[in-house]
Amino acid sequence: MKFVMLGTGNSAMMPVYGCDCSACVQARHDPRLRREKSSAYLHHNGRKLLLDANAPDLMQRFPAGSIDTILLTHYHMDHVSALFDLRWGKAPILPVISPQDEQGCDDLYKHPGMLDFSRRAQGFTPFSWYDVTVTPLPLKHSRPCLGYAFEWQDHCIAYLTDTNGLPLETVTWLQARKVDWIITDCNYAPIECEKTRLSMNHSDIIQTKIMFEQCQPVNMGLIHVSHDLLEWANDNPEQFSSQYQILMDGQEITL
Amino acid sequence: MKFVMLGTGNSAMMPVYGCDCSACVQARHDPRLRREKSSAYLHHNGRKLLLDANAPDLMQRFPAGSIDTILLTHYHMDHVSALFDLRWGKAPILPVISPQDEQGCDDLYKHPGMLDFSRRAQGFTPFSWYDVTVTPLPLKHSRPCLGYAFEWQDHCIAYLTDTNGLPLETVTWLQARKVDWIITDCNYAPIECEKTRLSMNHSDIIQTKIMFEQCQPVNMGLIHVSHDLLEWANDNPEQFSSQYQILMDGQEITL
């Protein structure tokens, strides 16, 4: 099983349009440091499960028939933007499994085209994707949002974005297992004021460190990162390790 | 003054994802035949005015500071999709002039970022863009939608999408002038049933021929084209001429 990061940035991506901060200048000069909006895919036994649909080259990268299922974390535009083009394809119906969200995004439900939005994921109600058990895990965000844990043989990888910290029940679920990887949202450099930190829609680095200590995964990978976080990370390399790292676009995790 | 076609396709673009019709196969093998969603820009005296914001490479093609103004025809997703990324840039406020539309698209009004949606265009109420007179022209579409005529010295070019035919007042306005170019929506091959044809949200080739005869522009360029129209055009080349042509992505009109 291979888990591939299609994007690891937040909605502003890297470099941020028009920004001349040191992290954006670096990314403008070194294509390896560029970041698309966060999304990923699971590649297992020749099949691909896409996690969120926002890759700018989604239709070129995944020709018709090459995606088995799309799994959405939530209906914010920066996670579903590629569906607006994809839906008009002439290809077999593609299932999109997503949280229950009455409105969805713009007119996706009204004009689904080749997409089928009928299957809904519910927190802690596992389902099978072939021989992988997928468990939706509730997150803390401004609209219905689910992370997903993928269990296969004795492996477990949890993809948890967008969120600011985790609900207690999700922490408890993760603590009960040996988790190889938690991949999660770390949008912000440290926010010193606790009240401000807890009021945000995304985690800062303090929240993800708490999550790391609470859940004790073998590895933690940070995604949905901002230029502010990346500038801070450049100044504070000692805060990171191979067990607690900022992931890169194109990075592959093999289990 | 230069008018550049950034895209000339409809929302499904060319080739259509997964489609093996002859027009899509041609486009898959010849990059010159590929079509992005319809949009354009006006390049005049070193300034650029963008007409709709859906180009997949908008932020790479137009670095911060290189767009003077964005003019929107309407708030359907296939005309505004690039604004969702662009808004998070760190650049001077960019004016977006658009029809009055209470809802806009998804959360653009709620989170405008670096975009300013406050200026609204109204039908037949001209405004200046430097030494160019811009007149908004009402169209016939499923939500508030304006075409725009650009007059400069003794030139006039009208960009009229999305629409099915034209309201009488817009025809009258165009008939009163020598119009160098009408660039308009031609989404469909001929729809034989008149009732069906008139019920659509876009013109077919019959509607655009009527528009050509009614308004008598020097040239007419067709955009927002579908693979169905392109297959039909391949079989009926005698229906087109240099005065009545399907435009291509990247095509430039110099006045």
Side-chain angles (χ1 to χ4, degrees), chain A residues 17-18 37 62 77 85 90, chain B residues 17-18 37 62 77 85 90:
Chain A
Y17 184 78
K37 297 185 285 283
F62 302 104
M77 184 63 74
D85 287 347
K90 299 286 180 194
Chain B
Y17 184 77
K37 296 185 285 284
F62 302 103
M77 184 62 74
D85 287 348
K90 298 287 179 195

Side-chain angles (χ1 to χ4, degrees), chain B residues 50-94:
Chain B
L50 188 58
L51 264 160
D52 286 336
N54 55 22
D57 60 348
L58 191 147
M59 291 160 71
Q60 291 75 46
R61 184 190 274 262
F62 302 103
S66 67
I67 306 172
D68 182 85
T69 300
I70 297 176
L71 200 49
L72 296 182
T73 58
H74 65 302
Y75 280 97
H76 273 153
M77 184 62 74
D78 59 325
H79 291 255
V80 302
S81 51
L83 297 181
F84 290 92
D85 287 348
L86 184 64
R87 61 181 166 172
W88 302 126
K90 298 287 179 195
I93 293 290
L94 183 55

Side-chain angles (χ1 to χ4, degrees), chain A residues 11-13 15-19 37 56 58-60 62-67 75-78 81 84-91 94 104-107 114 143 227, chain B residues 11-13 15-19 37 56 58-60 62-67 75-78 81 84-91 94 104-107 114 143 227:
Chain A
S11 57
M13 302 172 287
V16 176
Y17 184 78
C19 182
K37 297 185 285 283
L58 191 148
M59 291 160 71
Q60 291 75 45
F62 302 104
S66 67
I67 306 171
Y75 280 95
H76 274 154
M77 184 63 74
D78 59 322
S81 50
F84 291 91
D85 287 347
L86 183 64
R87 61 181 165 171
W88 301 126
K90 299 286 180 194
L94 184 55
C105 185
D106 196 56
D107 64 354
M114 60 170 268
R143 69 188 301 164
H227 60 165
Chain B
S11 58
M13 303 172 286
V16 175
Y17 184 77
C19 182
K37 296 185 285 284
L58 191 147
M59 291 160 71
Q60 291 75 46
F62 302 103
S66 67
I67 306 172
Y75 280 97
H76 273 153
M77 184 62 74
D78 59 325
S81 51
F84 290 92
D85 287 348
L86 184 64
R87 61 181 166 172
W88 302 126
K90 298 287 179 195
L94 183 55
C105 184
D106 196 57
D107 64 354
M114 60 170 268
R143 69 187 300 164
H227 61 164

Side-chain angles (χ1 to χ4, degrees), chain B residues 228-244:
Chain B
D228 291 339
L229 175 75
L230 292 164
E231 275 205 307
W232 183 86
N234 282 342
D235 293 340
N236 296 275
E238 74 287 355
Q239 296 288 330
F240 300 91
S241 68
S242 59
Q243 276 73 52
Y244 181 82

Side-chain angles (χ1 to χ4, degrees), chain B residues 27-206:
Chain B
R28 205 164 279 121
H29 289 101
D30 184 347
R32 293 169 302 178
L33 301 178
R34 292 186 189 160
R35 292 169 191 272
E36 299 294 345
K37 296 185 285 284
S38 286
S39 73
Y41 70 95
L42 201 62
H43 195 174
H44 181 57
N45 285 343
R47 294 191 181 91
K48 288 175 183 157
L49 177 141
L50 188 58
L51 264 160
D52 286 336
N54 55 22
D57 60 348
L58 191 147
M59 291 160 71
Q60 291 75 46
R61 184 190 274 262
F62 302 103
S66 67
I67 306 172
D68 182 85
T69 300
I70 297 176
L71 200 49
L72 296 182
T73 58
H74 65 302
Y75 280 97
H76 273 153
M77 184 62 74
D78 59 325
H79 291 255
V80 302
S81 51
L83 297 181
F84 290 92
D85 287 348
L86 184 64
R87 61 181 166 172
W88 302 126
K90 298 287 179 195
I93 293 290
L94 183 55
V96 179
I97 306 175
S98 64
Q100 193 67 48
D101 184 324
E102 266 186 39
Q103 298 184 317
C105 184
D106 196 57
D107 64 354
L108 279 179
Y109 293 169
K110 189 175 172 194
H111 300 295
M114 60 170 268
L115 306 175
D116 173 6
F117 292 98
S118 63
R119 274 187 72 186
R120 300 295 172 162
Q122 292 198 321
F124 307 117
T125 304
F127 58 90
S128 293
W129 182 64
Y130 304 98
D131 60 342
V132 179
T133 301
V134 184
T135 304
L137 299 175
L139 301 179
K140 283 185 177 174
H141 199 51
S142 57
R143 69 187 300 164
C145 189
L146 293 168
Y148 297 97
F150 303 92
E151 291 177 284
W152 170 68
Q153 295 178 354
D154 59 344
H155 296 295
C156 179
I157 184 165
Y159 184 80
L160 308 175
T161 197
D162 291 358
T163 195
N164 181 353
L166 295 175
L168 183 59
E169 300 76 9
T170 295
V171 172
T172 305
W173 191 95
L174 292 161
Q175 283 174 333
R177 282 155 184 83
K178 177 186 148 283
V179 178
D180 298 288
W181 278 89
I182 286 179
I183 298 169
T184 194
D185 175 340
C186 187
N187 199 80
Y188 300 114
I191 298 173
E192 294 307 330
C193 167
E194 188 178 17
K195 194 174 164 197
T196 305
R197 184 193 317 137
L198 297 180
S199 72
M200 307 303 280
N201 218 356
H202 297 276
S203 294
D204 72 342
I205 193 94
I206 298 172

Side-chain angles (χ1 to χ4, degrees), chain A residues 34-227:
Chain A
R34 291 185 191 162
R35 293 169 191 270
E36 300 293 344
K37 297 185 285 283
S38 287
S39 73
Y41 71 94
L42 200 62
H43 195 173
H44 180 57
N45 285 344
R47 294 190 181 91
K48 288 173 183 158
L49 177 141
L50 189 58
L51 264 160
D52 285 336
N54 55 22
D57 61 348
L58 191 148
M59 291 160 71
Q60 291 75 45
R61 184 190 273 263
F62 302 104
S66 67
I67 306 171
D68 182 84
T69 300
I70 297 176
L71 199 50
L72 295 183
T73 59
H74 64 304
Y75 280 95
H76 274 154
M77 184 63 74
D78 59 322
H79 290 256
V80 301
S81 50
L83 297 181
F84 291 91
D85 287 347
L86 183 64
R87 61 181 165 171
W88 301 126
K90 299 286 180 194
I93 292 291
L94 184 55
V96 179
I97 305 175
S98 65
Q100 193 67 47
D101 184 323
E102 265 185 39
Q103 298 183 318
C105 185
D106 196 56
D107 64 354
L108 278 179
Y109 293 169
K110 189 175 171 193
H111 300 295
M114 60 170 268
L115 305 174
D116 173 6
F117 293 98
S118 63
R119 273 188 72 187
R120 300 296 172 161
Q122 292 198 321
F124 307 117
T125 304
F127 58 90
S128 293
W129 181 64
Y130 304 99
D131 60 342
V132 179
T133 301
V134 184
T135 304
L137 299 175
L139 302 179
K140 284 184 176 174
H141 200 51
S142 58
R143 69 188 301 164
C145 189
L146 292 168
Y148 297 96
F150 302 92
E151 291 177 283
W152 170 68
Q153 295 178 355
D154 60 343
H155 296 295
C156 179
I157 184 165
Y159 185 80
L160 308 175
T161 196
D162 291 357
T163 194
N164 181 353
L166 294 176
L168 183 59
E169 299 77 8
T170 295
V171 172
T172 305
W173 191 97
L174 292 161
Q175 284 174 333
R177 283 154 183 83
K178 178 187 147 283
V179 178
D180 298 288
W181 278 89
I182 286 180
I183 298 170
T184 194
D185 176 340
C186 186
N187 198 81
Y188 300 113
I191 298 172
E192 294 307 329
C193 168
E194 187 178 17
K195 194 175 165 196
T196 305
R197 185 192 317 137
L198 298 180
S199 72
M200 307 302 281
N201 219 355
H202 298 276
S203 295
D204 72 341
I205 193 95
I206 298 172
Q207 287 284 77
T208 58
K209 289 244 169 182
I210 293 170
M211 198 189 297
F212 192 49
E213 284 156 24
Q214 283 182 322
C215 302
Q216 305 249 329
V218 180
N219 300 284
M220 184 171 258
L222 306 180
I223 59 169
H224 209 287
V225 297
S226 65
H227 60 165

